[in-house]
Amino acid sequence: MKQVWKGGTLLYPLPAVLVSCGTNEASNLITVAWTGIVCTNPPMLYISVRPERYSHGLISANMQFTVNLTTASMARATDLCGVRSGRDSDKWELSGLTPYPGVAVECPAVAESPLSLECRVRSITHLGSHDMFIAEITGALADDMYMDADTGKFSLEKAGLMSYSHGGYYTQGELLGTFGFSVKKKKKHKNIVHG
């Protein structure tokens, strides 16, 4: 049996990301859980931000931001950037995080992030409590610490990525399967007869 509740924002887990915004000279960090990919070609994502947030004004003025994936070791800094305001504090200094100069955009990435997606805003949709910024991903900064020297593959699964679920921060768990594993045909093993 299931309980019947009214509609609400109960879609979990969500990525817990740090969004850096502003310019390389004057920037801020904001924690965002309402984000995701919306298009492959061109690569696009969205973030939703309350209009009263300090970062909302910076993003609207500069029409750019960077989405920085977070790890278990960044949990305290990620939470702090979501509960303190950049209006009256330097969140880079408070969090101990390091700005990394933007390449495809003119705002910094977070040096400690395993992957940072540099974005240019294409549209802003006013939804109610939040405004949704839809942006094109114009560049990505990948930490070479997660590059497999043998295969050349970027092994993001080794980063200990963090997610947010119903008020708590969690790290990723064990691998359950890879895309398409439910329909993948098993390889037939040839029986070798020695005679």
Side-chain angles (χ1 to χ4, degrees):
M1 182 169 231
K2 293 191 179 252
Q3 293 185 19
V4 178
W5 298 349
K6 67 177 184 174
T9 56
L10 295 172
L11 179 62
Y12 292 110
L14 298 164
V17 301
L18 283 169
V19 173
S20 43
C21 53
T23 64
N24 282 317
E25 293 74 34
S27 62
N28 190 48
L29 293 165
I30 181 174
T31 303
V32 171
W34 292 358
T35 183
I37 298 295
V38 294
C39 188
T40 302
N41 189 15
M44 297 177 73
L45 58 73
Y46 83 93
I47 61 170
S48 287
V49 181
R50 289 182 181 273
E52 60 268 20
R53 297 295 298 263
Y54 176 64
S55 293
H56 184 285
L58 294 175
I59 296 168
S60 297
N62 296 293
M63 298 298 278
Q64 62 183 5
F65 59 86
T66 300
V67 172
N68 303 276
L69 301 188
T70 61
T71 63
S73 64
M74 297 169 68
R76 184 184 176 284
T78 302
D79 183 66
L80 184 139
C81 290
V83 296
R84 296 294 294 265
S85 174
R87 280 189 182 92
D88 50 25
S89 59
D90 179 344
K91 290 200 242 181
W92 292 101
E93 184 179 334
L94 285 176
S95 66
L97 295 173
T98 311
Y100 187 92
V103 177
V105 296
E106 296 166 11
C107 65
V110 175
E112 292 80 3
S113 174
L115 184 67
S116 301
L117 304 174
E118 298 180 308
C119 303
R120 291 201 180 275
V121 176
R122 296 261 299 258
S123 67
I124 304 170
T125 303
H126 306 289
L127 299 172
S129 64
H130 288 67
D131 286 348
M132 180 173 59
F133 294 88
I134 296 180
E136 184 172 348
I137 302 168
T138 56
L141 304 173
D143 191 328
D144 59 11
M145 176 189 313
Y146 301 104
M147 292 301 295
D148 186 306
D150 297 328
T151 64
K153 178 186 171 199
F154 185 60
S155 301
L156 190 56
E157 70 278 4
K158 294 180 180 176
L161 293 177
M162 186 170 59
S163 63
Y164 180 79
S165 185
H166 205 58
Y169 299 99
Y170 298 88
T171 57
Q172 287 186 335
E174 68 179 275
L175 177 66
L176 302 175
T178 57
F179 180 77
F181 82 100
S182 64
V183 295
K184 189 174 182 180
K185 293 181 180 178
K186 292 183 180 180
K187 291 181 182 178
K188 293 183 180 179
H189 296 285
K190 293 181 180 178
N191 292 333
I192 301 174
V193 178
H194 298 283

